[in-house]
Amino acid sequence: AGSSPPPARCGPFLGPAMDLFGDLRRMNKRQLYYQVLNFAMIVSSALMIWKGLIVITGSESPIVVVLSGSMEPAFHRGDLLFLTNFHDDPIRAGEIVVFKVEGRDIPIVHRVIKIHEKENGNIKFLTKGDNNEVDDRGLYKEGQNWLEKKDVVGRARGFLPYVGMVTIIMNDYPKFKYALLAVMGAYVLLKRES
C-alpha cells in the first residue's frame, strides 16, 4: 500500500499565522463581528484617554519619549516624559520644555537657559540641551534667535526612566513595529471570553 506524504512543515513564523487563519475560518459571523467590535472599542477607548489627557494637561502631546542623549544626565534616551502646558504659568529659566520648531517634525526636549522679557509683557526664551556645548539657536528656524510661548508643546512635570525604549525600537525597526501590531490585533480579534 502506498504511504501518504509527510505533513508539510511551516517555518517558525508561518505556523502561528496559519493557526490564526484557521481560527478565523472556524469563527461564525457573529463571533467575528463581536471580536471586531471589541477591537474597535479598545482603539476608541485609547483615543478617548489620549484626548482626555490633552484636555487635562493643556498639552497637545501630554506624553513624549526622549529620543537623544542631549539632556543627559537629567533625562536619558528612552525616558518617558509627562508634560503640562498651562498658558497662565510663566516660563522660567531652568525649566525643561518640549518645543517644536518650524521645519522640524519631531519636538525637542531642552532646558530654558535665558529669558528675555519685553516691556509689553511678551516673553522670549533661549534653550539648550544639558549635554550640548552650545545653545539651540542653530536648531531654530533661520533668523530666529528666541523661542516664544507658542512654540512650546509642554513642560516636563515627571518621567519614567527607559519606558519609551519600546517606541525607539519600533521607530528604528519598522518591521518589528508591524509584527507587534499584527500580533496584538490578532490577539484581540481571536481572544474568546470563557
Side-chain angles (χ1 to χ4, degrees), residues 82-180:
F82 302 101
L83 309 178
T84 62
N85 194 20
F86 302 118
H87 292 285
D88 297 339
D89 292 347
I91 293 175
R92 302 281 180 228
E95 189 172 23
I96 296 170
V97 295
V98 177
F99 61 93
K100 268 187 151 174
V101 176
E102 192 177 306
R104 291 181 181 262
D105 294 333
I106 299 171
I108 300 168
V109 179
H110 281 174
R111 189 179 305 274
V112 175
I113 58 169
K114 285 184 185 176
I115 299 283
H116 179 69
E117 192 167 356
K118 293 185 173 182
E119 290 178 16
N120 64 4
N122 286 347
I123 293 177
K124 293 187 175 191
F125 55 94
L126 181 63
T127 56
K128 176 185 169 297
D130 290 356
N131 202 20
N132 292 349
E133 296 292 323
V134 296
D135 63 45
D136 291 342
R137 285 188 172 129
L139 298 175
Y140 303 161
K141 72 177 180 180
E142 194 173 324
Q144 182 179 8
N145 291 321
W146 300 88
L147 291 176
E148 297 177 26
K149 219 167 185 178
K150 68 176 176 54
D151 300 315
V152 175
V153 173
R155 304 179 218 190
R157 300 297 184 204
F159 76 102
L160 285 174
Y162 303 111
V163 174
M165 284 307 288
V166 174
T167 303
I168 291 173
I169 290 168
M170 287 196 302
N171 282 338
D172 290 350
Y173 305 101
K175 288 180 183 177
F176 175 75
K177 173 172 55 176
Y178 297 125
L180 184 64

Side-chain angles (χ1 to χ4, degrees), residues 67-89:
L67 298 176
S68 73
S70 67
M71 279 302 292
E72 291 180 2
F75 299 122
H76 298 274
R77 190 169 192 251
D79 287 355
L80 194 69
L81 298 182
F82 302 101
L83 309 178
T84 62
N85 194 20
F86 302 118
H87 292 285
D88 297 339
D89 292 347

Side-chain angles (χ1 to χ4, degrees), residues 18-28 31 192:
M18 296 307 286
D19 290 344
L20 170 74
F21 291 118
D23 284 348
L24 278 173
R25 270 189 256 125
R26 284 190 292 275
M27 278 187 185
N28 65 35
Q31 286 175 320
R192 292 191 178 106

Side-chain angles (χ1 to χ4, degrees), residues 176-191:
F176 175 75
K177 173 172 55 176
Y178 297 125
L180 184 64
L181 288 172
V183 167
M184 287 171 36
Y187 173 76
V188 170
L189 284 173
L190 298 175
K191 183 185 79 164

